[in-house]
């Protein structure tokens, strides 16, 4: 049997990290078993529908590197088929028309509540064989005939055996009074028509499963295997949401996380392979199965994700990182260095050190932005402080020696800084390196400044010092 899984998100405008993990597990399970993962958009809520939200889902899935098989299926486009299945169920006597008004239903709910009964609807139309024509201005809904006794067993690959007494199942609605199919019906029909063999989804859907099985049984279809994944919780143990920090894939992308870091993190959040923490996509495909998915909900650990991200940034190829950081440099630092070959070369030369220090791409960009700056540029508050007082004398001495240096390497820059420290600062390197850093980067945080100066080159270094020294004479000119 070919395994067929599916990822069927609703287009809400963003992809929650929990949904991303569901997609990942479906993808891994299909890949591990040489099967297929299908992608369906559950877009039946037309009142709130937006194509933009659909595009967000597609982009997020692509960004995560989770490809799908075949065409994307729109649930809304299958609505005629959903209605046809409801008609079939009516024809076989497995479903019926119900004309209850909202007021009648409200009364039934009250009564059931008072008597402590789980099922509110009293099934008054179940055996009426009504023909579906409007009555007294009321259009009927179509309800399923759920079994009244016995029990339903769901063999869940994560939760184990889940048993529900059938008396707790209601005759739920398949078609609303306007003729539109409900989620419960659409999901079952689509899964069947798409040949889904494994339904792997969040455990918030576990309650729906015995109901969905009623439709499957009535149609005589094969019951898929189920695996309900526990929720992802925030660090405080409550359902992970925006108030815990970023909760969507898009936010993590914007914060400078690499997709492989997010996938690795989400993989481990709810599944394990011994003590392995860093797991490549290939390894995950080889190792993943549902038997090691945790039953208990997992708490999101931002620090762990950050450390995985730092790992994957270190591993990433420099040209790929450059491609990723250029748009961020433009957006965050207004630096258009795409066409500027010199700045790109500097960035590439500085990349090994930058990526060694970075926890996110934003961090990397902020620390490396100085490579793309053009004189005159501004100095942040701390840099301005570092450029004040005796800094001018130190920078002038540095500039003089840098100009005369026969070679301009990390080593010669370091040696010159040490000489100036010896001459002017009682051998202390800090009062030399800090103004130099401020002059070259406009900040006080950067990778090794000797290395940075060597990458900038002799002329640029001298010019930046010059601009900073002039700035300390007349700060307005360079700010
Ligand atoms: N559209 C549903 C959701 O986004 C998924 C339904 C399912 O997996 O059966 O939660």
């Amino acid at each position: 049997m070919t395994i067929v899984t599916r990822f069927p998100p609703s287009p809400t405008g963003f992809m929650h990290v929990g949904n991303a993990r569901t997609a990942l597990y479906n993808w891994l399970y299909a890949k591990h078993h040489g099967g297929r993962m299908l992608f369906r958009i559950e877009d039946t809520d037309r009142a709130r529908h937006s194509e933009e939200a659909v595009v967000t889902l597609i982009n997020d899935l692509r960004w995560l590197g989770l490809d799908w098989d075949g065409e994307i299926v729109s649930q809304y486009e299958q609505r005629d088929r959903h209605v046809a299945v409801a008609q079939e169920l009516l024809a076989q006597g497995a479903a019926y028309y119900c004309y209850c008004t909202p007021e009648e239903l409200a009364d039934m709910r009250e009564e059931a509540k008072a008597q402590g009964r789980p099922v509110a609807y009293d099934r008054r139309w179940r055996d009426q064989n009504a023909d579906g024509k409007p009555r007294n201005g009321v259009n009927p809904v179509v309800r399923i005939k759920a079994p009244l006794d016995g029990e339903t067993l769901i063999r869940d690959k994560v939760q184990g055996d889940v048993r529900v007494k059938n008396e707790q199942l209601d005759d739920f609605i398949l078609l609303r009074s306007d003729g539109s199919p409900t989620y419960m019906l659409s999901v079952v029909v689509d899964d069947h028509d798409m040949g889904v063999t494994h339904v792997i989804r969040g455990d918030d859907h576990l309650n729906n499963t015995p109901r969905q099985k009623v439709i499957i049984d009535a149609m005589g279809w094969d019951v898929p295997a189920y695996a309900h994944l526990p929720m992802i919780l925030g660090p405080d143990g409550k359902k992970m949401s925006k108030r815990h920090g970023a909760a969507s894939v898009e936010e993590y992308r914007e914060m400078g996380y690499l997709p492989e870091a997010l996938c690795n993190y989400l993989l481990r959040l709810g599944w394990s392979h011994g003590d392995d923490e860093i797991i490549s996509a290939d390894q995950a495909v080889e190792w993943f199965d549902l038997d090691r998915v945790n039953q208990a909900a997992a708490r999101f650990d931002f620090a762990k994700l950050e450390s995985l991200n730092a790992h994957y940034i270190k591993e990433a190829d420099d040209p790929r990182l450059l491609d990723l950081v250029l748009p961020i440099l433009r957006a965050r630092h207004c630096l258009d260095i795409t066409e500027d070959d010199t700045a790109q070369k500097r960035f590439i030369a500085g990349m090994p050190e930058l990526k060694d220090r970075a926890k996110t791409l934003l961090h990397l960009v902020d620390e490396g932005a100085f490579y793309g700056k053009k004189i005159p540029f501004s100095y942040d508050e701390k840099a301005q402080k570092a450029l004040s007082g005796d800094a001018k004398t130190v920078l002038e001495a540095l500039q003089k020696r840098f100009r005369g240096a026969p070679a301009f390497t990390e080593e010669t820059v370091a040696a010159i800084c040490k000489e100036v420290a010896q001459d002017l600062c009682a051998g202390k390197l800090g009062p030399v390196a800090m103004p130099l850093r401020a002059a070259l980067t406009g900040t006080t945080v950067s990778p090794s400044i000797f290395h940075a100066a060597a990458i900038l080159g002799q002329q640029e270094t001298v010019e930046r010092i010059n601009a900073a020294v002039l700035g300390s004479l007349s700060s307005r000119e360079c700010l």
Side-chain angles (χ1 to χ4, degrees):
M1 173 181 77
T2 306
I3 302 278
V4 180
T5 66
R6 71 342 174 231
F7 178 55
S10 309
T12 53
F14 66 94
M15 191 190 285
H16 189 274
V17 285
N19 254 358
R21 190 188 58 174
T22 300
L24 175 66
Y25 285 15
N26 273 286
W27 184 85
L28 285 172
Y29 192 74
K31 291 265 175 248
H32 177 80
H33 291 282
R36 292 148 50 79
M37 180 181 88
L38 309 179
F39 184 21
R40 176 170 80 226
I41 309 276
E42 305 222 311
D43 51 357
T44 51
D45 182 354
R46 300 319 278 182
R48 279 181 286 176
H49 183 74
S50 100
E51 268 313 305
E52 212 179 302
V54 174
V55 171
T56 300
L57 288 172
I58 296 171
N59 287 346
D60 286 351
L61 210 52
R62 285 211 174 110
W63 179 76
L64 288 165
L66 306 179
D67 51 346
W68 57 90
D69 295 284
E71 298 286 314
I72 302 174
V73 174
S74 151
Q75 186 157 71
Y76 181 65
E77 281 172 18
Q78 312 305 316
R79 63 194 182 282
D80 290 348
R81 164 75 178 144
H82 306 154
V83 172
V85 170
Q87 298 296 347
E88 214 175 308
L89 290 168
L90 279 166
Q92 322 166 5
Y96 59 97
Y97 290 107
C98 162
Y99 291 80
C100 283
T101 61
E103 295 73 30
E104 285 173 312
L105 290 168
D107 288 346
M108 283 180 232
R109 263 194 300 274
E110 282 302 307
E111 209 180 307
K113 213 165 132 195
Q115 294 172 7
R117 275 191 283 114
V119 175
Y121 175 61
D122 63 9
R123 303 184 175 98
R124 66 181 62 167
W125 288 92
R126 184 173 166 118
D127 300 311
Q128 303 284 324
N129 286 326
D131 58 9
K133 296 204 178 92
R135 293 190 183 193
N136 305 325
V138 176
N139 282 318
V141 298
V142 174
R143 291 181 181 271
I144 189 87
K145 279 187 187 166
L148 301 175
D149 42 39
E151 71 171 17
T152 297
L153 169 66
I154 304 295
R155 309 217 94 132
D156 193 281
K157 288 188 173 296
V158 172
Q159 312 286 337
D161 285 355
V162 179
R163 288 169 202 277
V164 177
K165 288 209 161 45
N166 288 339
E167 64 192 40
Q168 294 186 345
L169 303 176
D170 51 344
D171 284 359
F172 57 89
I173 296 176
L174 301 174
L175 295 182
R176 300 184 189 89
S177 58
D178 64 2
S180 63
T182 56
Y183 157 75
M184 211 67 94
L185 173 65
S186 305
V187 152
V188 170
V189 177
D190 287 348
D191 284 348
H192 169 264
D193 290 0
M194 291 163 76
V196 171
T197 60
H198 287 68
V199 170
I200 304 170
R201 61 185 173 191
D203 67 4
D204 47 337
H205 288 286
L206 186 56
N207 275 343
N208 293 331
T209 309
R211 290 186 176 79
Q212 292 173 2
K213 190 166 173 290
V214 174
I215 304 176
I216 296 170
D217 289 345
M219 290 301 291
W221 291 340
D222 289 339
V223 181
Y226 290 102
H228 286 91
L229 311 172
M231 295 277 100
I232 296 181
L233 306 177
D236 60 356
K238 306 233 167 74
K239 189 175 177 224
M240 173 87 173
S241 74
K242 203 150 176 62
R243 82 200 145 77
H244 294 110
S248 73
V249 169
E250 199 172 352
E251 283 168 294
Y252 284 98
R253 180 173 58 227
E254 279 172 4
M255 280 155 56
Y257 285 86
L258 294 181
E260 59 269 41
L262 188 57
C263 282
N264 189 154
Y265 179 69
L266 292 174
L267 170 66
R268 285 285 294 105
L269 193 64
W271 174 87
S272 58
H273 183 268
D275 291 331
D276 292 306
E277 289 292 348
I278 291 169
I279 303 173
S280 69
D282 286 346
Q283 272 174 334
V285 167
E286 197 185 318
W287 290 339
F288 188 81
D289 225 327
L290 292 168
D291 51 359
R292 275 193 302 257
V293 172
N294 297 343
Q295 257 183 38
R299 290 185 193 213
F300 206 89
D301 180 343
F302 293 96
K304 213 165 191 180
L305 170 59
E306 199 173 75
S307 86
L308 277 172
N309 202 44
H311 166 82
Y312 282 103
I313 288 178
K314 267 192 209 86
E315 297 266 294
D317 289 348
D318 295 352
R320 173 180 171 216
L321 285 177
L322 186 69
D323 275 352
L324 292 172
V325 300
L326 286 179
I328 314 179
L329 272 168
R330 258 176 259 141
R332 266 172 93 82
H333 294 276
C334 305
L335 294 172
D336 194 4
I337 68 168
T338 333
E339 304 302 321
D340 183 346
D341 214 23
T342 321
Q344 281 207 18
K345 279 194 188 125
R346 285 182 195 148
F347 224 102
I348 284 283
M351 200 63 97
E353 210 177 346
L354 287 171
K355 71 183 189 184
D356 220 37
R357 296 161 52 90
K359 295 197 166 79
T360 67
L361 293 177
L362 295 193
H363 189 195
L364 191 153
V365 162
D366 289 348
E367 284 212 345
F370 72 92
Y371 284 126
K373 286 184 181 171
K374 292 205 167 59
I375 304 167
F377 54 79
S378 61
Y379 305 88
D380 69 20
E381 222 174 289
K382 284 188 182 155
Q384 286 181 39
K385 212 160 153 218
L387 289 170
S388 63
D390 293 340
K392 187 183 161 237
T393 321
V394 168
L395 286 172
E396 278 173 347
L398 279 176
Q399 191 198 41
K400 213 159 138 206
R401 288 179 208 223
F402 284 160
R403 271 186 209 276
F408 202 74
T409 63
E410 185 175 349
E411 291 72 29
T412 56
V413 172
I416 289 172
C417 286
K418 277 180 199 140
E419 279 168 33
V420 171
Q422 214 60 49
D423 290 356
L424 300 177
C425 309
K428 282 194 208 134
L429 203 53
V432 176
M434 206 33 121
L436 180 62
R437 172 170 286 125
L440 299 188
T441 70
T443 71
T444 50
V445 189
S446 77
S448 153
I449 200 60
F450 309 140
H451 189 214
I455 290 172
L456 287 170
Q458 193 163 18
Q459 190 182 345
E460 179 75 11
T461 299
V462 167
E463 283 174 14
R464 287 191 182 197
I465 293 176
N466 204 30
V469 172
L470 283 176
S472 68
L473 293 171
S474 147
S475 64
R476 283 185 185 283
E477 276 175 43
C478 64
L479 285 180

